[in-house]
Amino acid sequence: MLQEETDQKAKEREVALKERIPPLVTSGLSLQDLLDLCKDLHHKIEVVDEEWYDISLKVSKNDKEIENMNLKITEIQCKFKKPTLKRVKISAEAMLSVLLGSKHKESIDFKANLKTVKKEEEKKEEVTDWRKNVEAMSGMEGRKKLFDA
């Protein structure tokens, strides 16, 4: 069946070519007529090549657009979802044993390597009665105290 199908396609192609292209008659033509016929055939070949080039560019451009649209579709459908990661509580020792494997032999105390920092106590202002402070700052004497300070 495949053989018959290929033979049938070849026959259809030959029939289509005979309809489109008339047989070439070169017998009995002068040299000038042959040159004119060659120039005419070359011109037709150039036109066909230009059309083929234009069509191939359009096809490649459409293929690129189709590929870009397919990428956008896959992005829209969210096929590439990031899985939600679960928080795992693991000690430093267990993490080192997982990362280093058999190389991890002795335990490392991370807290021992930390520097100790002494906290400085902040100076606290004494809380006094605000009414006394207002009375002391009122008038010219209070402004003089602020200016001196």
Side-chain angles (χ1 to χ4, degrees):
M1 290 175 66
L2 291 174
Q3 184 66 28
E4 291 175 4
E5 200 172 288
T6 55
D7 292 339
Q8 185 181 4
K9 286 183 181 180
K11 288 178 184 177
E12 289 175 2
R13 184 171 188 255
E14 288 177 8
V15 170
L17 286 175
K18 285 181 183 178
E19 289 176 2
R20 292 182 185 170
I21 303 171
L24 199 61
V25 178
T26 57
S27 61
L29 293 176
S30 68
L31 183 62
Q32 186 62 32
D33 291 338
L34 286 173
L35 288 174
D36 291 339
L37 179 64
C38 287
K39 286 180 184 179
D40 187 37
L41 290 175
H42 281 289
H43 178 68
K44 288 181 182 179
I45 290 171
E46 288 176 4
V47 169
V48 169
D49 282 343
E50 288 175 2
E51 289 176 0
W52 176 82
Y53 181 75
D54 292 341
I55 290 171
S56 65
L57 283 178
K58 287 180 184 178
V59 167
S60 64
K61 181 181 175 185
N62 288 340
D63 287 341
K64 287 179 184 177
E65 287 180 4
I66 289 170
E67 186 176 316
N68 288 337
M69 287 182 182
N70 284 336
L71 288 175
K72 288 180 183 178
I73 287 171
T74 55
E75 289 175 4
I76 289 172
Q77 291 177 346
C78 297
K79 288 187 177 180
F80 303 109
K81 289 184 179 178
K82 292 183 180 178
T84 55
L85 300 176
K86 296 179 181 178
R87 187 169 190 89
V88 178
K89 292 184 179 179
I90 188 168
S91 67
E93 295 292 324
M95 189 180 303
L96 283 175
S97 65
V98 169
L99 291 175
L100 300 176
S102 62
K103 295 178 184 177
H104 178 69
K105 295 179 181 175
E106 58 188 53
S107 64
I108 300 172
D109 188 15
F110 290 110
K111 291 182 181 179
N113 294 336
L114 297 176
K115 296 179 181 177
T116 56
V117 178
K118 295 181 182 178
K119 292 184 179 180
E120 295 180 14
E121 294 183 20
E122 296 179 14
K123 296 179 181 178
K124 294 183 180 180
E125 295 181 16
E126 294 182 18
V127 180
T128 57
D129 190 14
W130 62 272
R131 285 170 276 183
K132 291 179 184 176
N133 194 17
V134 170
E135 290 173 4
M137 292 296 186
S138 65
M140 289 301 287
E141 295 172 5
R143 291 196 177 132
K144 185 178 177 185
K145 290 178 185 176
L146 286 175
F147 184 74
D148 290 339

